[in-house]
């Protein structure tokens, strides 16, 4: 993000340096020098598109339809839309407000808002890093299928291949013994899957090389900071919609499509009594919008101070949910077509987990005219969807580390580009277990304990830090300062009561990980908890560190630790910058739209 068109105005502690490039606004808040140098998006639409790109990802195309199918079709839409209104929109509004007001990435923003829970910011960076290591494996699979699609007959069209078993059929049947050509291609050709997590197998070299290619792609999209990301999102955020709509038009004309769509829209009301459906809906809203991952908070810190936060919140969350529902129509019309081919009801099709997109779709393509064209377009769309979510995750880590250790990192790496390369390289090495033959189990374990378990803990503590400790009143004051309007009663109730209650409930309803019918052994669940703790552990560590560095007796430390700006090195700021004896940092707005003549910088001491 460092290359933005930004005005150069620097405030030093006791002197004031003006250079002639444009204007800037100083607001209340953090470390003034950095804040003034904070770059902003060259156009506001770039933030909105990057936000949509970050929120709309593979989750909309594979996790949403699969949870929807597992929860009984239409029955999932009711809790999903309910959670969107009371959880998704209010919490996204909260995150964007904090990011835009503090003009900081997640680590510093949370240290400003509630020093005691500054670990939540670190945890969101940790979770983004853990996710970017295995999320890229889904992109790897998409590339593998994309390359496999350039063949005269698609390799999953028939059962005459070396990897097929005698049980393979071209048309799936409801028998538990037979498996379809596309299931076998996914399982035995691409993954060469072992029987369980105990059997590690060897590295799949084809997949490893494609993983390397995926990381190279990501590196070239983000190494220049937002200058490159801002331009790439125009394509990656908009292209998937063209393909989804084309696929929908095509699928709707297939025989049986209407049965699938009916299953998707008409709820089975008795399923709503199951708690798991509601917990899944809450988890899907978090994963899909990206609340708690720090990506959107980091991006909003580059907004102009007076940007209308509510407009962005509604745009990002509503477009994200509409995309999920559009993808639902596309996938369920294909389900209807498959059930027509197999002569069994939609609810009996055997699909589960991440394989959904890679098993159901190829099977639907195999029977379409010009199968290769549809396959290439679909997997290219998956690649675009995956890439912009992946940018956001890597960008969070890079931005946070650059904010914190800029001098040391530049001294060691010499250039930001080399640092980004090191981050991509490290994440690529950590992704190797996912491209071994045991990869799918490792993937499922990491996904379950990161995207479902950790994120709920993290979101809960984020709500406590921002809405309870910092306070809804202060948050509304900040909104009024930026946009002239306070948060209405609906948002305040959701922040204070509804969100924490739903999150506590989701945490209590924990279910261990499984892959299809395979239940992970206790030691693997233990490894899962270690993965979850890798991000959660930062919350107590951050709290201990805050109490350690603050001055005074234990009770004074505790009181200071829930005071906003307490860690903000008040001692280094001059008296008037701290807001006199009331300790409220208030600084006048400095604005200059005058183009000064080309002269060397003038330095004036106050």
């Amino acid at each position: 993000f460092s290359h933005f068109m930004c005005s150069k105005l620097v405030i030093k502690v006791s002197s004031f340096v003006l250079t002639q490039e444009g204007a800037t606004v100083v607001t209340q808040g953090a470390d003034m020098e950095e804040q003034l140098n904070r770059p902003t998006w060259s156009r506001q639409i770039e933030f909105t598109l990057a936000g949509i790109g970050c929120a709309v990802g593979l989750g909309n195309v594979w996790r949403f339809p699969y949870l929807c199918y597992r929860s009984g079709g239409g029955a999932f839409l009711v809790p999903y839309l309910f959670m969107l209104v009371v959880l998704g929109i209010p919490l996204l509004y909260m995150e964007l407000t904090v990011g835009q007001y503090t003009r900081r990435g997640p680590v510093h923003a949370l240290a400003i808002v509630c020093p005691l829970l500054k670990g939540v910011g670190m945890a969101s960076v940790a979770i983004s890093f853990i996710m970017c290591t295995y999320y890229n494996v889904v992109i790897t699979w998409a590339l593998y299928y994309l390359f496999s699609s350039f063949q005269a007959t698609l390799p999953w069209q028939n059962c005459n291949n070396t990897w097929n078993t005698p049980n393979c059929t071209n048309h799936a049947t409801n028998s538990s013994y037979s498996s379809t050509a596309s299931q076998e291609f996914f399982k035995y050709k691409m993954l060469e899957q072992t029987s369980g997590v105990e059997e590690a197998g060897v590295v799949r070299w084809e997949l490893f090389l494609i993983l390397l290619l995926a990381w190279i792609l990501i590196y070239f999209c983000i190494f220049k900071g937002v200058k490159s990301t801002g331009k790439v999102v125009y394509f990656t955020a908009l292209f998937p919609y063209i393909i989804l709509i084309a696929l929908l038009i095509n699928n709707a004309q297939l025989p049986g499509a209407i049965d699938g769509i009916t299953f998707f829209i008409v709820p089975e009301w008795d399923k709503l009594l199951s708690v798991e459906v509601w917990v899944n809906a809450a988890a899907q809203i978090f994963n899909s919008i990206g609340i708690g991952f720090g990506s959107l908070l980091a991006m909003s810190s580059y907004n102009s101070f007076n940007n209308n936060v509510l407009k962005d919140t509604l745009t990002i969350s509503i477009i994200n949910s509409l995309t999920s529902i559009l993808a639902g129509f596309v996938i369920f019309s294909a389900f209807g077509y498959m059930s027509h081919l197999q002569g069994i009801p939609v609810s009996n099709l055997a699909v589960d987990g991440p394989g959904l997109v890679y098993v159901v779709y190829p099977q639907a393509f195999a029977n379409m005219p010009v199968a290769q064209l549809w396959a290439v377009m679909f997997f290219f769309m998956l690649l675009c969807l995956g890439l912009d979510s992946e940018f956001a995750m890597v960008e969070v880590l890079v931005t946070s580390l650059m904010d914190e250790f800029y001098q040391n990192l530049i001294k060691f790496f010499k250039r930001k580009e080399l640092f980004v390369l090191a981050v991509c390289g490290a994440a690529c090495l950590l992704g190797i277990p996912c491209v071994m033959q045991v990869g799918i189990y490792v993937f499922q374990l990491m996904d379950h304990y990161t995207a479902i378990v950790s994120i709920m803990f993290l979101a809960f503590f984020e709500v406590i830090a921002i809405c309870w400790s910092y306070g809804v009143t202060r948050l509304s004051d900040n909104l009024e300062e930026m946009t002239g309007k306070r948060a209405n009663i609906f948002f305040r109730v959701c922040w204070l009561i509804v969100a924490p209650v739903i999150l506590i409930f989701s945490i209590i309803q924990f279910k261990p990980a499984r892959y299809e019918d395979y239940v992970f052994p206790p030691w693997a669940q233990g490894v899962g908890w270690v993965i979850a703790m890798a991000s959660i552990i930062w919350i107590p560590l951050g709290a201990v560190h805050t109490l350690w560095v603050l001055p005074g007796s234990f009770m004074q430390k505790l009181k200071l630790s829930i005071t906003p700006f307490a860690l903000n090195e008040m001692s280094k700021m001059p008296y008037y910058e701290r807001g006199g004896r009331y300790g409220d940092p208030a600084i006048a707005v400095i604005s200059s739209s005058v183009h000064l003549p080309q002269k060397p910088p003038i330095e004036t001491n106050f």
Side-chain angles (χ1 to χ4, degrees):
F1 288 93
S2 58
H3 296 271
F4 256 86
M5 303 171 55
C6 60
S7 338
K8 291 188 185 164
L9 220 159
V10 186
I11 285 196
K12 290 189 173 176
V13 173
S14 61
S15 62
F16 185 21
V17 181
L18 254 170
T19 59
Q20 79 281 345
E21 288 183 45
T24 223
V25 173
V26 187
T27 59
Q28 277 197 2
D31 184 30
M32 301 316 278
E33 185 164 334
E34 279 180 52
Q35 185 165 325
L36 285 172
N37 268 335
R38 191 73 166 179
T40 51
W41 295 93
S42 28
R43 295 164 62 194
Q44 199 51 44
I45 184 78
E46 284 191 6
F47 166 69
T48 312
L49 275 178
I52 290 167
C54 166
V56 173
L58 286 170
N60 300 62
V61 179
W62 67 255
R63 195 182 265 117
F64 174 80
Y66 137 67
L67 286 175
C68 198
Y69 179 79
R70 203 159 83 167
S71 309
F76 187 69
L77 281 181
V78 179
Y80 177 77
L81 293 171
F82 173 77
M83 292 296 182
L84 172 71
V85 173
V86 301
L87 210 61
I89 293 175
L91 293 191
L92 180 61
Y93 193 30
M94 171 191 90
E95 276 206 355
L96 297 186
T97 304
V98 170
Q100 186 172 307
Y101 186 77
T102 58
R103 302 181 73 76
R104 284 284 174 278
V107 180
H108 286 131
L110 276 136
I112 288 171
V113 166
C114 173
L116 184 66
L117 289 174
K118 69 176 179 187
V120 174
M122 298 176 199
S124 68
V125 174
I127 211 171
S128 281
F129 183 65
I130 296 167
M131 275 198 81
C132 80
T133 60
Y134 75 80
Y135 193 89
N136 217 1
V137 175
V138 188
I139 300 175
T140 305
W141 296 342
L143 280 167
Y144 186 90
Y145 269 86
L146 182 64
F147 297 147
S148 305
S149 302
F150 292 102
Q151 295 182 27
T153 54
L154 293 173
W156 52 85
Q157 252 172 335
N158 57 48
C159 288
N160 313 332
N161 304 294
T162 49
W163 61 84
N164 291 126
T165 63
N167 296 335
C168 176
T169 59
N170 279 352
H171 295 311
T173 60
N174 202 18
S175 135
S176 56
Y177 297 110
S178 68
S179 52
T180 64
S182 73
Q183 270 169 333
E184 296 209 341
F185 177 80
F186 181 70
K187 207 166 168 178
Y188 302 126
K189 174 75 175 95
M190 184 177 81
L191 297 178
E192 291 183 8
Q193 186 181 327
T194 58
S195 59
V197 78
E198 302 86 356
E199 237 183 293
V202 294
V203 173
R204 292 275 296 107
W205 288 106
E206 291 168 281
L207 288 180
F208 174 65
L209 292 172
I210 295 176
L211 179 70
L212 206 58
L213 173 69
W215 275 112
I216 291 168
L217 272 175
I218 284 156
Y219 175 70
F220 281 110
C221 290
I222 65 165
F223 76 115
K224 280 287 186 209
V226 171
K227 263 286 185 287
S228 48
T229 316
K231 302 301 168 270
V232 175
V233 291
Y234 281 111
F235 181 77
T236 56
L238 301 173
F239 177 73
Y241 292 100
I242 298 167
I243 293 198
L244 276 175
I245 290 164
L247 283 168
L248 182 62
I249 294 167
N250 180 69
N251 290 2
Q253 298 165 14
L254 298 171
I258 198 75
D259 301 336
I261 290 174
T262 310
F263 179 79
F264 177 51
I265 297 175
V266 181
E268 293 176 39
W269 295 106
D270 54 328
K271 285 267 176 110
L272 286 180
L273 300 175
S274 151
V275 175
E276 197 180 354
V277 173
W278 293 83
V279 173
N280 281 344
Q284 177 54 23
I285 287 287
F286 276 100
N287 277 304
S288 192
I289 297 180
I291 295 166
F293 291 106
S295 336
L296 287 162
L297 198 150
M299 285 181 179
S300 68
S301 69
Y302 297 94
N303 281 342
S304 63
F305 188 71
N306 300 106
N307 172 49
N308 182 346
V309 197
L310 187 57
K311 190 182 77 184
D312 284 332
T313 305
L314 293 174
T315 310
I316 292 170
S317 47
I318 289 169
I319 288 185
N320 174 54
S321 290
L322 288 176
T323 310
S324 292
I325 291 167
L326 173 64
F329 276 107
V330 175
I331 296 244
F332 280 89
S333 54
F335 278 179
Y337 175 54
M338 278 174 66
S339 80
H340 168 80
L341 288 178
Q342 297 167 23
I344 55 171
V346 176
S347 53
N348 291 0
L349 291 169
V351 285
D352 194 8
L356 175 109
V357 167
Y358 297 99
V359 172
V360 176
Y361 251 99
Q363 205 168 323
F365 295 139
N367 303 297
M368 288 179 189
V370 214
Q372 289 79 356
L373 176 70
W374 289 111
V376 168
M377 277 170 57
F378 180 75
F379 292 116
F380 187 62
M381 175 193 82
L382 282 188
L383 179 66
C384 289
L385 282 175
L387 282 176
D388 48 17
S389 301
E390 185 76 22
F391 296 157
M393 287 188 252
V394 181
E395 196 67 76
V396 168
L397 184 74
V398 171
T399 305
S400 304
L401 290 175
M402 289 301 267
D403 275 359
E404 189 65 52
F405 305 112
Y406 185 77
Q407 299 298 336
N408 303 349
L409 288 172
I410 289 301
K411 195 188 294 179
F412 185 77
F413 288 104
K414 305 290 183 278
R415 302 170 60 127
K416 184 188 171 188
E417 287 87 340
L418 293 174
F419 171 60
V420 177
L421 184 64
V423 170
C424 291
C428 181
L429 292 176
L430 289 171
I432 292 176
C434 296
V435 290
M436 289 174 73
Q437 288 171 312
V438 73
I440 187 79
Y441 301 107
V442 178
F443 176 87
Q444 193 71 7
L445 199 64
M446 289 181 81
D447 188 53
H448 183 81
Y449 283 95
T450 308
I452 295 172
V453 179
S454 301
I455 201 67
M456 287 300 182
F457 276 100
L458 217 134
F460 174 70
F461 283 108
E462 186 176 65
V463 171
I464 296 299
I466 298 174
C467 301
W468 286 17
S469 169
Y470 186 64
V472 170
T473 317
R474 277 198 189 109
L475 204 56
S476 294
D477 292 344
N478 297 351
L479 266 168
E480 193 173 15
E481 195 182 327
M482 292 192 295
T483 61
K485 288 200 185 101
R486 298 178 71 78
N488 61 28
I489 187 77
F490 167 73
F491 283 118
R492 294 210 293 269
V493 171
C494 286
W495 286 337
L496 264 182
I497 301 157
V498 182
V501 169
I502 291 176
L503 286 166
I504 290 171
F505 201 64
S506 303
I507 292 169
I508 296 168
Q509 288 299 320
F510 167 75
K511 288 246 187 338
R514 62 185 175 85
Y515 175 66
E516 290 177 346
D517 301 327
Y518 176 80
V519 178
F520 287 88
W523 67 267
Q525 304 282 3
V527 172
W529 277 107
V530 170
I531 295 168
M533 290 315 289
S535 54
I536 300 170
I537 195 75
W538 294 100
I539 300 174
L541 287 180
V544 170
H545 182 258
T546 298
L547 293 173
W548 180 260
V549 296
L550 288 173
S553 68
F554 183 71
M555 287 317 288
Q556 287 170 318
K557 283 171 186 274
L558 212 57
K559 196 175 173 199
L560 265 179
S561 73
I562 52 171
T563 311
F565 299 99
L567 281 180
N568 224 27
E569 300 177 291
M570 296 295 266
S571 55
K572 289 189 191 169
M573 294 167 80
Y575 184 67
Y576 52 82
E577 281 192 21
R578 272 181 278 160
R581 59 202 169 99
Y582 300 107
D584 183 7
I587 287 203
V589 169
I590 302 173
S591 174
S592 126
S593 49
V594 188
H595 285 288
L596 299 171
Q598 299 276 340
K599 281 183 191 167
I602 324 148
E603 192 163 293
T604 9
N605 285 320
F606 279 138

